[in-house]
């Protein structure tokens, strides 16, 4: 190239400026080249950089700018066309990339800015979490304190220790100035200061329980801030300027019955104690929530611990009581055994030793009675005999009873004459009854077996006892004894609900009923009757002798015979009915035994005493009636007189045994009366025997009498002896075999 | 003491005579046997009842027999009663008359009845006197301190 028309640089003095430009460009280029390198280096180093593409673009943009500036270096001097082209190319590229970058940046910069925002946000969050972490740590510490406190509290079962520990630990944990516990008094009207942290023995302080501040605390299970001036908080002399904050919480006092299975006890019986906690004064400390929570939890724990302590106390006390009782029982048992042995020894001795002299007394007194005595002497001997008999009876009763109780009594089971037994009882009792002008009647049911197997002596004893009682307590009227075989429906008597008789082929139940018209028994005394030695007030009248053992013994015997005995009475003065049922064996159909017994029965046995036999005399002639009555009364009967057939039918009942009818009464159809009597009493055993008294014994009369069902005919006049044998035959055989 | 024995002897003699003369029979003895401590006045009571009864009956009889038309049934009833009473206490002679009396009643013989009535009255008053006397004697014996001897 020759000279170009380029303008020669005019400024050789600007060579300095050119030089500086040259250097600056160089450095710019350098910088421009190194920046991307740095970027690339650092991006490669960092793991996370989301905008690589932007970086590349940016890098390209910078590289090209740098290239431009670098190429600019050559343009200061003469440069060839190539350089110019390169320069141009570089510039073009640079332009393109810069534009692209510019466009790109429009999208990118907001994103970058938001990243910044997020970063800020995260930083805040981190700070928050830090704070919370701090809180949790605090709580955890609190929890630790509670656990420690609980552990301390629950490690003892002593109430006092529990409470003291609570206060001490709370005071320590929370840094309290004062901590106090108010317990309700027994009356429940006041709260008494029971424990404090710093006063060793608080006493006397009480506040009424109905204060509003106390009600406020008791009404919620949370710790409540109360005023330091309230009476419960005035625990220390308030010399300080500023009292610390006070918190009070209720402590439920639980009873065993408060605990339900599934849920925490509902505090239905509200007895609370009050715990008051005071922060140190002058400390500007405040109660924090977590501290209040701590207090509430502690209060609940204390309640539980106290309950446990109370339960333990109870069970210790109960155990001690039981031990004492055991000791006492053991002692009592040994004493009882000793007593029983002593009694048995005593009885063994008594049995023989006492009976021997008794026997002597009784025997000799009765012998003495047989000799010649003046009336005064006889009276004395009789009294001796009576008294000694009484004594002998007493001894026997007592001995029997103790043997019965020991279970050592055995029944003598043997065949015996049942009918005969009853008759003998009647014979024994009639003299006594007739002295008291009481009648005695006996009715035996037709199905009552003649012979039975059982303990005759004891059965007799029972009968005599029962009948004797009936006689003893009757002052007028009489005794009626009825014996029958108990039927299955009557066996289960509603009045004897414990009695379960079992029927069998070999046994039958004898039912005996003794009814008296005596003083009766009031219903409340009936259960006591069979108790030993118990005599009710009304019965302990002047007539009663005996020890009160009789019925008790009867009951024992009856029970031994698988039976039951009870008394009924409609009340005082209304008489009394004694009923007993005993099990007796049935005799087999063997004949030898029967013959044996039959031969024992006397053939022409004439009774001599008909005491209490109820009869009716029907006669319209006053004199004749009176004479017949006198006759029967002389023989001991209980006579009712009537003068007409109608009257007779009205009066007659199943207690009358014989009706004596004077058949010479004109105008009255005696025979009709007899028929009517037959109709009235359907069952033979209830019907009285009908005997005609007549002046003539011709055959017609006799036949008419027999035809209408009369049981006998007597010819008037009747002598005492004749009447006696008539009655005897009537009662023995139920019929007069021949006209007397 | 002698007085008592004397009185007793008197009593015994008297009652024996009554029996001998047929005023009283064995029935009366039976009555006496019925008397005991529980019934001390039995005999006296019965006898006085007999007196009352008899007097009443005799009056009735008189009335009935003196009617225009005699009701023999009624008469018979009364006599029957009287017979029963007298036989009950052993007034033998009265009883015998009553038997006769009844026969007349059956025959409806007014005359006979009236005559019997008279007889009965007579016998009755006799036996009444005798019995009253005997009771007086008994009282005397008792008052003197003795006891009535049993036959």
């Amino acid at each position: 190239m020759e000279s170009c028309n380029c303008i020669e640089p005019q400024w050789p003095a600007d060579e300095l400026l050119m030089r500086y430009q040259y250097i600056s460009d160089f450095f710019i280029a350098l910088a421009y080249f190194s920046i991307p390198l740095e970027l690339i280096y650092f991006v490669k180093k960092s793991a996370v950089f989301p905008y690589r593409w932007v970086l590349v673009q940016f890098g390209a943009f910078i590289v090209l700018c740098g290239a431009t500036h670098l190429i600019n270096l050559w343009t200061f001097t003469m440069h060839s066309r190539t350089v110019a082209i390169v320069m141009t190319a570089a510039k073009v590229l640079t332009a393109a990339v810069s534009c692209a970058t510019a466009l790109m940046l429009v999208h990118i910069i907001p994103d970058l800015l938001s990243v910044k925002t997020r970063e800020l946000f995260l930083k805040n969050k981190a700070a928050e979490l830090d704070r919370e972490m701090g809180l949790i740590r605090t709580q955890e510490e609190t929890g630790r304190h509670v656990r420690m406190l609980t552990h301390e509290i629950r490690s003892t079962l002593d109430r006092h220790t529990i409470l003291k520990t609570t206060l001490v630990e709370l005071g320590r944990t929370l840094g309290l100035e004062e901590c106090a516990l108010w317990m309700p008094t027994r009356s429940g009207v006041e709260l008494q200061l029971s424990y404090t942290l710093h006063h060793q023995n608080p006493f006397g302080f009480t506040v009424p329980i109905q204060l509003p501040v106390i009600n406020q605390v008791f009404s919620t299970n949370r710790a409540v801030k109360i005023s330091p001036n309230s009476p419960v908080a005035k625990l220390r002399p308030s010399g300080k300027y500023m009292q610390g904050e006070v918190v009070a919480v209720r402590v439920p006092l639980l009873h065993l019955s408060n605990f339900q299975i599934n849920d925490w006890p509902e505090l239905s019986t509200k007895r609370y104690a009050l715990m008051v906690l005071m922060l140190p004064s002058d400390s500007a400390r405040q109660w924090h929530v977590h501290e209040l929570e701590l207090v509430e939890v502690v209060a609940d724990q204390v309640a539980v611990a106290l309950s446990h302590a109370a339960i333990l106390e109870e069970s210790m006390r109960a155990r001690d009581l039981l031990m004492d009782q055991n000791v006492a029982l053991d002692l009592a048992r040994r004493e009882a055994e000793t007593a029983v042995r002593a009694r048995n020894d005593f009885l063994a001795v008594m049995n023989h030793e006492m009976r021997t002299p008794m026997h002597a007394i009784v025997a000799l007194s009765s012998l003495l009675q047989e000799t010649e005595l003046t009336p005064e002497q006889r009276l004395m001997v009789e009294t001796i005999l009576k008294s000694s008999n009484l004594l002998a009876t007493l001894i026997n009763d007592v001995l029997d009873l103790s043997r019965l109780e020991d279970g050592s009594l055995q029944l003598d089971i043997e065949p015996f004459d049942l009918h005969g037994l009853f008759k003998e009882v009647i014979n024994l009792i009639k003299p006594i009854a007739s002295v008291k002008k009481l009648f005695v009647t006996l009715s035996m049911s037709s199905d009552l077996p003649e012979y039975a197997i059982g303990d005759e002596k004891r059965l007799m004893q029972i009968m005599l006892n029962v009948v004797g009682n009936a006689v003893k307590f009757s002052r007028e009227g009489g005794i009626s004894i009825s014996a029958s075989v108990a039927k299955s429906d009557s066996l289960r008597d509603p009045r004897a609900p414990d009695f379960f008789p079992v029927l069998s082929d070999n046994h039958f139940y004898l039912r005996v009923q003794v009814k008296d018209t005596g003083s009766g028994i009031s219903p409340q005394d009936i259960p006591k009757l069979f108790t030993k030695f118990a005599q009710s007030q009304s019965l302990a009248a002047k007539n009663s002798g005996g020890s009160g053992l009789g019925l008790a013994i009867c009951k024992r015997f009856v029970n031994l015979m698988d039976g039951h005995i009870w008394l009924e009475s409609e009340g005082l003065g209304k008489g009394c009915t004694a009923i007993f049922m005993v099990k007796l064996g049935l005799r087999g159909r063997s004949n030898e035994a029967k013959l044996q017994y039959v031969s024992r029965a006397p053939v022409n046995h004439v009774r001599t005493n008909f005491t209490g036999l109820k009869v009716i005399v029907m006669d319209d002639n006053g004199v004749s009636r009176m004479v017949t009555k006198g006759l029967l009364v002389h023989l001991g009967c209980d006579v009712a007189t009537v003068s007409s057939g109608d009257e007779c039918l009205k009066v007659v009942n199943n207690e009358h045994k014989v009706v004596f009818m004077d058949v010479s009464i004109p105008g009255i159809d005696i025979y009709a009366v007899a028929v009517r009597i037959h109709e009235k009493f359907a069952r033979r055993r209830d019907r009285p025997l009908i005997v005609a008294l007549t002046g003539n014994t011709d055959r017609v009369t006799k036949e008419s009498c027999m035809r209408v069902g009369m049981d006998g005919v007597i010819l008037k006049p009747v002598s005492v002896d004749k009447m006696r044998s008539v009655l005897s035959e009537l009662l023995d055989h139920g019929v007069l075999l021949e006209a007397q | 003491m002698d007085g008592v024995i004397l009185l007793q002897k008197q009593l015994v003699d008297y009652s024996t005579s009554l029996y001998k003369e047929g005023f009283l029979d064995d029935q009366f003895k039976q009555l006496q046997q019925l008397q005991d401590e529980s019934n001390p006045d039995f005999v006296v009571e019965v006898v006085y009842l007999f007196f009352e009864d008899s007097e009443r009956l005799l009056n009735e009889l008189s009335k009935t027999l003196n009617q225009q038309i005699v009701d023999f049934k009624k008469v018979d009833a009364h006599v029957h009663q009287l017979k029963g009473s007298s036989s009950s206490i052993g007034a033998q002679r009265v009883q015998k008359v009553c038997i006769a009396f009844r026969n007349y009643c059956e025959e409806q013989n007014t005359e006979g009845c009236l005559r019997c009535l008279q007889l009965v009255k007579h016998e009755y008053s006799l036996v009444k006197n005798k019995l009253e006397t005997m009771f007086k004697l008994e009282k005397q014996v008792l008052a003197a301190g003795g006891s009535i001897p049993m036959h």
Side-chain angles (χ1 to χ4, degrees):
Chain A
M1 326 237 259
E2 298 82 37
S3 60
C4 62
N5 285 340
C6 11
I7 304 165
E8 290 235 1
Q10 309 259 331
W11 309 286
D14 293 319
E15 215 170 282
L16 198 65
L17 282 169
M18 294 283 296
R19 211 173 272 275
Y20 279 132
Q21 276 192 0
Y22 190 81
I23 292 169
S24 310
D25 273 334
F26 175 72
F27 272 112
I28 288 170
L30 196 64
Y32 273 175
F33 278 129
S34 55
I35 287 174
L37 288 172
E38 282 169 14
L39 274 174
I40 288 168
Y41 174 73
F42 281 115
V43 162
K44 273 217 156 66
K45 275 276 171 143
S46 93
V48 179
F49 194 77
Y51 298 110
R52 289 231 169 143
W53 172 243
V54 174
L55 209 60
V56 166
Q57 248 181 336
F58 215 63
F61 166 69
I62 290 178
V63 161
L64 286 171
C65 273
T68 313
H69 280 286
L70 192 64
I71 295 170
N72 226 10
L73 286 176
W74 273 272
T75 56
F76 285 117
T77 55
M78 293 300 273
H79 53 281
S80 60
R81 196 188 161 86
T82 326
V83 173
I85 291 173
V86 168
M87 184 72 192
T88 316
K91 275 205 173 149
V92 166
L93 270 173
T94 309
V97 170
S98 350
C99 290
T101 309
L103 284 171
M104 189 69 44
L105 276 175
V106 172
H107 293 289
I108 286 173
I109 287 180
D111 273 349
L112 283 175
L113 281 178
S114 80
V115 163
K116 263 292 173 201
T117 320
R118 230 175 284 144
E119 194 190 311
L120 200 63
F121 174 70
L122 279 171
K123 230 194 262 169
N124 283 342
K125 256 286 184 250
E128 212 178 289
L129 275 169
D130 265 337
R131 256 175 297 158
E132 275 187 18
M133 182 75 142
L135 267 171
I136 286 171
R137 244 185 262 126
T138 322
Q139 273 181 351
E140 208 237 7
E141 204 161 292
T142 310
R144 212 163 27 84
H145 280 141
V146 168
R147 276 197 295 282
M148 181 262 302
L149 253 165
T150 310
H151 175 76
E152 290 293 323
I153 291 170
R154 302 278 283 268
S155 68
T156 168
L157 285 172
D158 172 42
R159 183 178 215 191
H160 184 79
T161 318
I162 289 173
L163 292 168
K164 221 31 187 155
T165 313
T166 310
L167 298 181
V168 163
E169 292 298 327
L170 265 180
R172 204 156 52 83
T173 309
L174 300 173
L176 301 172
E177 174 176 359
E178 181 59 88
C179 189
L181 190 69
W182 300 76
M183 301 281 274
T185 56
R186 238 172 235 298
S187 60
V189 184
E190 293 180 321
L191 285 179
Q192 188 181 34
L193 184 61
S194 314
Y195 300 94
T196 58
L197 193 53
H198 294 294
H199 302 167
Q200 280 313 309
N201 291 313
F203 61 92
F205 257 13
T206 57
V207 294
I209 210 169
Q210 289 301 326
L211 288 179
V213 61
I214 298 181
N215 283 337
Q216 186 197 6
V217 176
F218 281 178
S219 62
T220 166
N221 60 353
R222 318 229 43 189
V224 175
K225 289 206 185 105
I226 61 175
S227 152
N229 293 323
S230 54
V232 291
K234 280 210 163 94
L235 296 166
R236 311 202 86 203
S238 52
K240 314 284 173 123
Y241 176 60
M242 180 77 122
Q243 291 271 3
E245 281 198 354
V246 181
V247 145
V249 69
R250 72 178 187 189
V251 180
L253 297 173
L254 299 169
H255 296 284
L256 197 58
S257 53
N258 285 128
F259 284 94
Q260 289 149 20
I261 300 177
N262 289 324
D263 43 14
W264 191 250
E266 282 305 313
L267 303 170
S268 48
T269 55
K270 298 176 175 56
R271 270 188 27 118
Y272 301 116
L274 189 74
M275 197 153 56
V276 175
L277 308 121
M278 280 197 282
L279 286 176
S281 28
D282 296 342
S283 71
R285 247 181 73 185
Q286 295 227 316
W287 281 99
H288 297 148
V289 169
H290 70 272
E291 288 169 337
L292 294 178
E293 282 169 8
L294 178 91
V295 167
E296 285 156 23
V297 171
V298 168
D300 278 332
Q301 288 298 320
V302 165
V304 172
L306 283 177
S307 308
H308 285 187
I311 291 170
L312 181 73
E313 259 179 55
E314 278 290 329
S315 77
M316 297 288 285
R317 222 168 348 108
R319 191 196 60 163
D320 285 339
L321 197 64
L322 269 174
M323 274 184 38
D324 288 339
Q325 278 181 348
N326 268 349
V327 168
L329 274 173
D330 201 34
L331 189 64
R333 183 177 57 86
R334 269 181 280 123
E335 278 179 7
E337 278 176 7
T338 319
V340 165
R341 257 179 285 126
R343 186 200 68 174
N344 286 342
D345 292 339
F346 168 69
L347 284 176
V349 167
M350 250 184 75
N351 196 4
H352 180 69
E353 299 299 332
M354 276 183 76
R355 284 207 219 235
T356 315
M358 273 316 309
H359 179 72
I361 295 173
V362 171
L364 293 174
S365 314
S366 42
L367 279 177
L368 191 58
Q369 238 188 356
E370 304 284 317
T371 64
E372 281 276 336
L373 294 168
T374 71
E376 294 85 10
Q377 286 174 325
R378 188 166 289 277
L379 200 63
M380 285 188 234
V381 173
E382 274 170 11
T383 313
I384 293 174
L385 253 182
K386 249 193 274 183
S387 310
S388 48
N389 274 330
L390 194 64
L391 191 58
T393 314
L394 260 167
I395 295 176
N396 284 336
D397 274 356
V398 172
L399 286 174
D400 260 346
L401 193 64
S402 13
R403 271 198 301 150
L404 276 173
E405 298 204 310
D406 283 346
S408 61
L409 190 75
Q410 303 234 332
L411 295 176
D412 303 321
I413 310 283
E414 291 219 352
F416 66 94
D417 181 358
L418 188 61
H419 283 222
L421 183 131
F422 282 112
K423 288 173 193 161
E424 204 174 322
V425 169
I426 297 288
N427 286 339
L428 284 169
I429 213 73
K430 267 193 176 166
I432 308 168
S434 66
V435 162
K436 292 179 84 169
K437 296 214 189 349
L438 301 167
F439 65 84
V440 177
T441 62
L442 170 68
S443 77
M444 293 191 280
S445 75
S446 46
D447 56 357
L448 196 69
E450 249 188 283
Y451 302 99
I453 303 180
D455 189 336
E456 179 183 10
K457 184 159 98 70
R458 303 252 160 68
L459 185 59
M460 170 88 88
Q461 219 171 332
I462 297 170
M463 286 251 24
L464 282 176
N465 211 306
V466 172
V467 173
N469 274 346
V471 168
K472 200 199 304 190
F473 294 115
S474 303
R475 283 198 212 103
E476 57 187 7
I479 323 286
S480 32
I481 307 171
S482 66
S484 56
V485 173
K487 299 290 177 297
S488 55
D489 54 348
S490 67
L491 282 173
R492 283 287 285 118
D493 199 300
R495 288 162 293 203
D498 305 328
F499 188 50
F500 292 99
V502 175
L503 287 175
S504 77
D505 277 338
N506 297 331
H507 297 102
F508 72 100
Y509 279 88
L510 171 71
R511 181 182 189 278
V512 177
Q513 176 176 305
V514 177
K515 197 164 164 188
D516 70 53
T517 57
S519 43
I521 305 169
S522 63
Q524 55 255 39
D525 287 335
I526 290 188
K528 286 194 268 172
L529 286 168
F530 292 100
T531 337
K532 285 191 291 181
F533 307 114
Q535 278 191 339
S536 69
Q537 290 303 96
S538 57
L539 293 184
K542 36 190 164 86
N543 299 354
S544 67
S547 58
L549 280 178
L551 277 175
I553 293 184
C554 278
K555 189 169 168 106
R556 293 287 195 311
F557 282 149
V558 167
N559 285 342
L560 273 176
M561 296 186 193
D562 291 333
H564 191 84
I565 179 170
W566 71 95
L567 281 123
E568 292 166 16
S569 172
E570 290 180 31
L572 286 169
K574 297 204 180 119
C576 175
T577 307
I579 305 172
F580 69 86
M581 294 202 251
V582 290
K583 187 162 124 178
L584 296 172
L586 275 173
R587 250 180 19 95
R589 310 286 169 197
S590 60
N591 283 330
E592 333 72 271
K594 192 163 185 171
L595 286 174
Q596 199 179 5
Y597 280 101
V598 164
S599 65
R600 264 186 22 182
V603 178
N604 281 327
H605 169 75
V606 176
R607 301 153 172 270
T608 48
N609 200 328
F610 305 96
T611 317
L613 185 71
K614 263 189 146 169
V615 300
I616 297 184
V617 169
M618 184 175 101
D619 193 339
D620 67 338
N621 185 312
V623 178
S624 158
R625 198 167 57 225
M626 188 169 171
V627 171
T628 314
K629 175 174 173 177
L631 196 58
L632 291 163
V633 166
H634 181 75
L635 290 171
C637 302
D638 174 30
V639 184
T641 53
V642 296
S643 54
S644 71
D646 291 349
E647 212 182 325
C648 178
L649 288 166
K650 254 187 279 190
V651 169
V652 73
N653 59 36
N654 62 350
E655 286 177 352
H656 293 113
K657 294 299 159 208
V658 190
V659 176
F660 291 95
M661 290 194 208
D662 187 47
V663 298
S664 44
I665 301 175
I668 301 180
D669 194 351
I670 307 295
Y671 308 125
V673 176
V675 169
R676 291 282 298 285
I677 290 182
H678 269 273
E679 282 170 14
K680 186 166 175 183
F681 300 98
R683 290 188 294 186
R684 192 168 192 278
R685 69 180 110 151
D686 290 335
R687 184 174 62 77
L689 299 165
I690 309 176
V691 176
L693 285 161
T694 174
N696 54 354
T697 54
D698 58 334
R699 239 187 48 197
V700 177
T701 319
K702 248 182 40 177
E703 276 172 13
S704 321
C705 289
M706 289 309 164
R707 216 186 21 245
V708 295
M710 297 214 193
D711 301 292
V713 178
I714 308 179
L715 179 63
K716 287 209 290 189
V718 190
S719 69
V720 177
D721 289 334
K722 198 195 304 191
M723 187 57 93
R724 190 181 287 131
S725 63
V726 160
L727 279 177
S728 179
E729 208 176 326
L730 278 173
L731 291 174
D732 276 342
H733 299 123
V735 73
L736 272 178
L737 294 178
E738 64 258 6
Q740 306 277 329
Chain B
M1 208 51 182
D2 275 24
V4 176
I5 297 180
L6 207 62
L7 282 169
Q8 281 177 337
K9 189 163 182 311
Q10 227 180 334
L11 181 60
V12 171
D13 288 347
Y14 192 73
S15 33
T16 319
S17 70
L18 286 181
Y19 286 105
K20 270 225 188 89
E21 287 161 21
F23 284 102
L24 297 174
D25 66 359
D26 217 23
Q27 180 63 15
F28 194 77
K29 279 212 186 101
Q30 295 288 328
L31 283 187
Q32 285 179 321
Q33 277 189 17
L34 296 179
Q35 184 162 298
D36 54 4
E37 314 86 63
S38 59
N39 236 341
D41 297 321
F42 181 68
V43 178
V44 176
E45 280 170 19
V46 177
V47 169
Y48 275 99
L49 186 59
F50 168 69
F51 291 162
E52 272 174 41
D53 221 13
S54 306
E55 274 158 26
R56 178 180 59 85
L57 285 169
L58 289 171
N59 286 335
E60 288 293 317
L61 276 170
S62 303
K63 246 199 289 180
T64 319
L65 281 172
N66 288 322
Q67 304 261 321
Q68 281 288 355
I69 305 172
V70 176
D71 186 356
F72 282 102
K73 271 211 165 63
K74 221 161 149 197
V75 174
D76 187 281
H78 291 318
V79 175
H80 177 80
Q81 289 273 332
L82 189 57
K83 175 172 151 235
S85 310
S86 53
S87 73
S88 293
I89 68 158
Q92 199 179 38
R93 279 154 75 135
V94 176
Q95 185 188 6
K96 285 204 174 111
V97 177
C98 287
I99 296 173
F101 203 151
R102 285 194 83 188
N103 289 334
Y104 283 119
C105 285
E106 270 180 287
E107 292 166 9
Q108 305 209 352
N109 187 340
T110 318
E111 282 275 327
C113 290
L114 282 167
R115 250 182 299 141
C116 275
L117 181 61
Q118 288 309 312
L119 207 55
V120 161
K121 276 188 179 162
H122 175 69
E123 287 298 331
Y124 166 72
S125 54
L126 273 178
V127 82
K128 181 168 172 192
N129 278 330
K130 300 282 183 186
L131 284 170
E132 280 176 347
T133 313
M134 198 174 81
F135 287 150
K136 250 197 252 146
L137 277 173
E138 282 180 4
K139 262 206 203 118
Q140 283 175 349
V141 168
L142 287 171
S147 57
I148 315 261
M150 289 280 119
H151 301 280

